[in-house]
Amino acid sequence: MKEYWKNIVVLLIALLFAVLASIDFISMQVQEKIAPNQNLTEVKMLSCYSPGLKGTDSDTEVYVFDSGNPGGTMLILGGTHPNESAGMVSAIATIENLEVERGRVFIIPWTNKSGFTHTSPLDGMQDRFSITLSDGSIRTFRVGNRLTNPVDQWPDRTYYEGTSGRKLIGSESPEIRNVNRLYYGKENGVLTERVCYGIYNLINAEGVDLTMDMHEGSPEFLYLDCTMVNQKADNEKAMSIASSMALSMQLDGLDMRTEYSGKSSYGLSHRSLGDNTASMMTLMETYNPSMGPLHGKMDDDLIVNGNEPNYYQAHNEGYIYFDVPENGYPLAERVARHLTCISYLAQSYSEANPHDAIVFEGLGSYDDIVEKGLGNLLKPID
Amino acid sequence: MKKIIVVLLAIALLIGFGSCSKAATPAAAAPAANTPSTGTVDSEYDPNATVDFEMKTSADKRVVTIGEIDKSLYQSPIFVTSFGQSTDAAMLDTVMKRVGIDYHYNPTATADDIAGSKTVIIAVGASTKGLGAAGISEADETARAKAIMKQIKADGSQVICCHIGGSSRRGALSDELADMVMKQCSYIVLKEDANFDSKFTDFASAHNIPISLIFATKDTVSVFTDIFK
């Protein structure tokens, strides 16, 4: 009898840990709040454009700013890869500060919403980071996984061929949960394909002229100072517009170049949405030291301050192409870079297409954002 | 013994639950963990092409010109084109707009298109992605370049060789096109990190061609403003 009770106690302790772990796991489904902006016109769900998403964990908010004045339409994607934090924070900062004067702007901050509900297991990942605002309040954001949560889409097929022609075989099979491999999606496909289809259909239904997909990459990545551009035969202005943006950023002292979208980048937003919609597609990366294999302890200092001595040393020894600053590459600088790129891209687009101009204010200058920090850019939540 | 096994099993169970707290199934773990965001683009750029050498330009000294430039040579009409279909031509187009002068721009211009131009500015630098986007093969691009240089020679036009993409625009095709242009040019503008082997400065020195070394692509604006305004 005594042995029986010991077994019960051990099982209850195990159950307690399981419950605590489950609470932690489920808490990842509580998404960030967004401070109200009086200029916001409407919040739609992506399922309006992809009915197969309705009721799923991947149905995500689409924030709409309509100036009421004629002009072009811009789509801004953040959180395509939820572990690339600058994309989501840039999108949220845009929603909280934007004031559109001409045309319309659509913003999706959690493009792969399911991906925000889990992290990379056994990888020492931090699931959240915090930013202190100017009023002393603290806002917390999630660090998710670049792939859809397997709770929502599983198992991964061992062979897959997407609408773009991209094939995923063997070890690549988990990429079937990567939004930025499955464009232009499929209406009744796997969950991640339905997300891609929603964005594809949104672009077509709303007549989106210009799209920016915001990403981050590890410091080993080669395209961190670059915007990828899909130059199509029917949109010869695309590279000219992007070059104008890049030169404006260079004249502000920011490294930026442009590169043609790779012909074989099947399933990626800049390639497959560019090829299959009328929108001018661009994709931009910033350098995130928490994503590379050389990063040390995962904490707020690494994610928010971008401080990683290992990468500075690797850069000094000639192993890193990207210029790694000694004092790190803070999230505020990465967000400022994304927002500056968005502003100049819209400005260049408007100069080239004056009848379909997209004019907005409120995002601030690069120097202003860096100097005052994200605590000033992001708004307090009541 | 039985007690030890029970304790070990309990610990294993706890570790198992603990590791599951961050993901639903082990199937998600292995392939995705710590995967850098490479694959967003198809890499064709070799960063190892950059070799350490002593630069004459710097963030403080952005343009260094070697030789005397005769600005009176560069008259209108001005034509801007690309040899190699890299994004540098679009950047040069943007630069010319900022300079604020009249010019014609066509990255895939034919020899007929440039006929009659008194000044031809050529953005040199090959990009397989750019050639692919333009639907032009390397052989066709080389043939187009040769035809344009032949037309320029016939017209007696002035040529400015513009290599503003840096070390990433060095390679067999880029160098072949650069050699073709440099033989007929009267001025070279070069982003200096492309000169790691002194190829451009050596050629300019040997043929008495003025060359402006620039630190970054944006410095092309000040160089051309000085030439054309």
Side-chain angles (χ1 to χ4, degrees), chain A residues 10 21 24 127 147 151 154 174 181 216 218 222-223 228 239-240 243-244 248 250-251 258 260 264-265 268 270 283 285, chain B residues 10 14 21-24 27-28 31-32 34 36-37 39-43 45 85 87 90 94 97-98 129-130 217-218:
Chain A
V10 169
D24 187 34
D127 53 10
L147 305 178
V151 164
W154 195 80
R181 294 296 180 278
E216 293 203 282
S218 68
L222 301 177
Y223 285 86
M228 305 302 300
M239 188 52 77
S240 173
S243 296
S244 180
S248 296
Q250 287 186 21
L251 291 169
T258 54
Y260 288 108
S264 58
S265 297
L268 278 70
H270 55 85
L283 182 151
E285 305 260 0
Chain B
L14 291 176
S21 69
K22 298 295 181 187
N34 232 348
S37 182
T40 301
V41 290
D42 296 320
S43 178
Y45 171 56
Q85 301 305 319
T87 56
T94 305
K97 283 178 189 156
R98 298 281 175 120
K129 285 177 183 165
T217 306
K218 70 174 181 180

Side-chain angles (χ1 to χ4, degrees), chain A residues 29-228:
Chain A
Q29 295 184 10
V30 179
Q31 74 181 42
E32 296 78 5
K33 289 180 179 172
I34 291 187
N37 178 345
Q38 60 177 3
N39 303 308
L40 178 66
T41 312
E42 185 183 5
V43 182
K44 293 182 172 182
M45 297 304 289
L46 194 60
S47 55
C48 294
Y49 306 95
S50 180
L53 286 176
K54 198 165 184 65
T56 71
D57 288 343
S58 288
D59 194 8
T60 191
E61 289 81 356
V62 182
Y63 292 80
V64 184
F65 291 80
D66 188 343
S67 68
N69 297 319
T73 301
M74 184 174 191
L75 171 63
I76 298 169
L77 300 175
T80 293
H81 291 147
N83 58 332
E84 299 167 15
S85 304
M88 171 192 58
V89 175
S90 299
I92 290 176
T94 304
I95 293 167
E96 294 180 358
N97 291 278
L98 197 66
E99 186 180 344
V100 182
E101 295 174 2
R102 279 194 65 185
R104 298 182 301 165
V105 178
F106 289 70
I107 306 164
I108 304 179
W110 305 285
T111 300
N112 187 349
K113 196 171 185 178
S114 166
F116 280 95
T117 63
H118 68 139
T119 60
S120 299
L122 307 177
D123 196 28
M125 287 288 289
Q126 179 152 316
D127 53 10
R128 290 174 178 83
F129 64 91
S130 298
I131 294 169
T132 304
L133 304 192
S134 50
D135 69 347
S137 62
I138 294 173
R139 287 183 66 174
T140 302
F141 299 87
R142 293 169 294 168
V143 181
N145 188 295
R146 66 197 286 271
L147 305 178
T148 300
N149 194 330
V151 164
D152 296 318
Q153 182 186 315
W154 195 80
D156 301 329
R157 297 176 191 168
T158 51
Y159 178 84
Y160 164 83
E161 183 170 349
T163 49
S164 68
R166 188 178 197 97
K167 291 175 184 170
L168 300 171
I169 304 166
S171 63
E172 286 183 306
S173 59
E175 296 292 304
I176 196 173
R177 290 181 282 118
N178 184 346
V179 167
N180 204 29
R181 294 296 180 278
L182 304 192
Y183 284 115
Y184 56 97
K186 195 186 283 182
E187 187 172 7
N188 298 310
V190 295
L191 187 63
T192 310
E193 279 181 311
R194 283 178 261 160
V195 173
C196 296
Y197 177 78
I199 291 162
Y200 160 78
N201 205 24
L202 184 160
I203 290 172
N204 287 333
E206 302 293 346
V208 172
D209 301 295
L210 176 62
T211 303
M212 166 58 81
D213 187 8
M214 296 182 288
H215 285 254
E216 293 203 282
S218 68
E220 295 84 355
F221 192 40
L222 301 177
Y223 285 86
L224 297 173
D225 58 347
C226 181
T227 297
M228 305 302 300

